[in-house]
Amino acid sequence: MKPDIMHKPSLTIFGLGRMGAQIARRLHKKGFEVIAWNRSPEPVKAIRKAGIFGTSDVKEAVEATVNRPRIFWIMLPHAVVDDFLFGRDHLGPYLNKGDIVIDGGNSFYKDSQRRSGRLARKGVYYFDCGTSGGVWGEKNGFALMIGGPKDKWRLIEPFMKALSAGDNFAYCGESGAGHFVKMVHNGIEYGMMEAIGEGYAVLKASPFKLNLADVTRVYQKGSVVRSWLIDLCRNIFEHEDVASTVGKIDSTGEGEWTVKTGHEFGVDVRVIEDALKVRQESYTMANQKKYSNKIVALLRKQFGGHGIHQNDKFHRNRARGRN
C-alpha cells in the first residue's frame, strides 16, 4: 500500500538498522509520513508492522517520495555511503536537482565535505547529521549535530526537532560540521568510558567486597561523576553477567578519527588516544580478561545495543558448580 503523503511532511529513510528503524518509528509517531528502505527483507517486514511503508526496492522508495523537495535520509555504515550515493545500483541515478540528502551515520567529516561538493554539482543539497542516543533514542529523543547549506536548514529543521528531546539539536555550520562535532563527541565518549571502566576495576580489586550496584546508586545522585553512563553501570551490575563477558571492545572508527584530527590540529589528546589503544589491545586474549574492558564492552551494549562476546567456559564451569 502506497503512503498517503500529500498533506504531511515526509522523508524517505534508507537503512533500517538499530538507529534507522528508531528514527523511522519516532518520526512516524510524531505525525510525519515516512517511507523506509532496507536491502534485507526482515527489517522491512518489521517496519511495516509499525504502519510505515517499507520496501527493499530503491526505485519504489524513490517513486513513493512525491513531496517537494524530496528528502532522503541515509542511515548506513560509512564504508558504503559513497557507493550508495554515487554508484549505479543504488540512490545515485535517482537524485535530481533540488533533492536533499541527509547522512545520519558516522561518516568522517572530510568525506562529508567531499560528498557535499560532489552532490552540489548536481544541484543536490547534502546535510551531515551526527546522531547520538543509541537504542534509547526512539523513546527519549536523539541528540543531533547538523552541518550543511544554511539556506536550506529550515526545510529539515522540523524533522530534527521531532527527533530530538526538544532542544538537543543544532545547526553547527557548513558541510562537515555536524559529523565533525559527532566525531569529537565519540572521542570524548572513549575517554569517559575507559575512566569509568578503570575506576570500577579498582573498586572490584579492593579488599572490601563492595556491592558495586550500591556504589553506583550513590554515584548516580549528587556526585560529581553522575551521568547517563553511570546510570547504565547500574543496569550492568543489576542485570548483566560481568564475569562471563569477554572484554573485547569493538569500535566504529570515530575515536581513531578524533585522535588523528587532534594530531593534525596540534592538540594534546592523550586520554582519548590511550582509550583507543586499550580498545585495540582488547583484541588479544590476555586483555580480554581485564575487568575494565568487560565494563566498557557492556556499556556499549547498554547504550548502543552493540553485541558482546560471552565466555562459554565460564558458563560450563558455573553449571558444574565451580563458580
Side-chain angles (χ1 to χ4, degrees):
M1 181 179 179
K2 295 290 184 180
D4 178 16
I5 62 177
M6 296 306 295
H7 303 293
K8 293 182 179 181
S10 69
L11 92 172
T12 301
I13 295 177
F14 292 92
L16 297 174
R18 285 187 299 267
M19 298 286 277
Q22 286 189 88
I23 288 170
R25 291 192 297 264
R26 184 171 174 90
L27 286 175
H28 178 70
K29 292 171 185 175
K30 293 284 185 176
F32 294 87
E33 193 64 54
V34 177
I35 299 152
W37 171 93
N38 198 78
R39 181 179 60 182
S40 53
E42 290 306 317
V44 173
K45 293 177 183 177
I47 211 70
R48 286 175 177 170
K49 291 179 181 179
I52 297 170
F53 176 75
T55 179
S56 292
D57 186 320
V58 172
K59 182 179 180 182
E60 184 177 27
V62 171
E63 289 178 346
T65 313
V66 297
N67 282 359
R68 294 295 185 272
R70 300 189 303 182
I71 301 175
F72 302 117
W73 183 304
I74 59 173
M75 208 67 189
L76 300 168
H78 63 83
V80 305
V81 171
D82 277 337
D83 184 52
F84 194 80
L85 288 179
F86 306 115
R88 295 181 179 180
D89 300 323
H90 301 298
L91 184 59
Y94 301 106
L95 290 174
N96 296 325
K97 184 177 180 179
D99 289 344
I100 293 173
V101 172
I102 303 168
D103 178 2
N106 286 320
S107 291
F108 184 45
Y109 78 98
K110 290 184 178 180
D111 289 334
S112 298
Q113 290 176 312
R114 171 179 53 80
R115 290 166 186 151
S116 175
R118 187 171 174 181
L119 288 172
R121 291 193 287 274
K122 292 182 63 173
V124 176
Y125 303 103
Y126 174 90
F127 286 89
D128 50 286
C129 178
T131 310
S132 183
V135 296
W136 303 80
E138 180 182 351
K139 178 182 177 181
N140 299 332
F142 296 92
L144 302 163
M145 303 141 255
I146 306 105
K150 190 172 184 179
D151 60 336
K152 301 299 177 182
W153 165 243
R154 63 178 180 81
L155 298 173
I156 69 167
E157 185 176 10
F159 299 96
M160 301 303 177
K161 186 173 183 178
L163 285 171
S164 77
D167 63 354
N168 59 330
F169 69 99
Y171 172 77
C172 297
E174 62 187 26
S175 295
H179 279 155
F180 181 83
V181 173
K182 178 58 162 54
M183 176 190 75
V184 175
H185 164 282
N186 281 33
I188 294 169
E189 176 188 295
Y190 275 46
M192 292 175 66
M193 291 171 64
E194 180 59 24
I196 290 170
E198 290 177 10
Y200 277 106
V202 174
L203 292 170
K204 179 69 174 177
S206 79
F208 298 110
K209 297 185 177 9
L210 299 167
N211 182 318
L212 295 184
D214 285 346
V215 172
T216 305
R217 176 170 49 81
V218 177
Y219 284 175
Q220 281 182 280
K221 295 182 181 180
S223 82
V224 173
V225 298
R226 65 188 183 273
S227 65
W228 187 43
L229 289 173
I230 293 294
D231 292 343
L232 295 177
C233 283
R234 178 87 174 270
N235 291 346
I236 289 172
F237 296 124
E238 291 184 346
H239 302 294
E240 297 282 4
D241 192 344
V242 180
S244 70
T245 299
V246 175
K248 182 179 178 182
I249 314 167
D250 296 324
S251 60
T252 54
E254 295 87 351
E256 184 175 1
W257 297 340
T258 306
V259 170
K260 289 181 177 178
T261 302
H263 290 167
E264 180 184 339
F265 294 167
V267 176
D268 186 350
V269 289
R270 71 183 72 183
V271 171
I272 300 173
E273 187 166 13
D274 283 345
L276 173 63
K277 289 179 180 177
V278 169
R279 292 197 180 197
Q280 293 168 338
E281 292 167 359
S282 76
Y283 279 74
T284 65
M285 291 293 291
N287 285 298
Q288 289 171 12
K289 299 177 182 178
K290 289 171 59 176
Y291 193 81
S292 57
N293 285 2
K294 296 171 185 278
I295 297 300
V296 174
L298 286 166
L299 280 171
R300 294 184 78 250
K301 176 188 176 184
Q302 286 288 317
F303 68 70
H306 300 288
I308 59 169
H309 303 272
Q310 294 286 317
N311 188 333
D312 292 334
K313 182 178 179 181
F314 175 89
H315 287 299
R316 289 195 300 269
N317 287 342
R318 187 168 64 175
R320 295 168 184 165
R322 296 181 186 175
N323 282 289

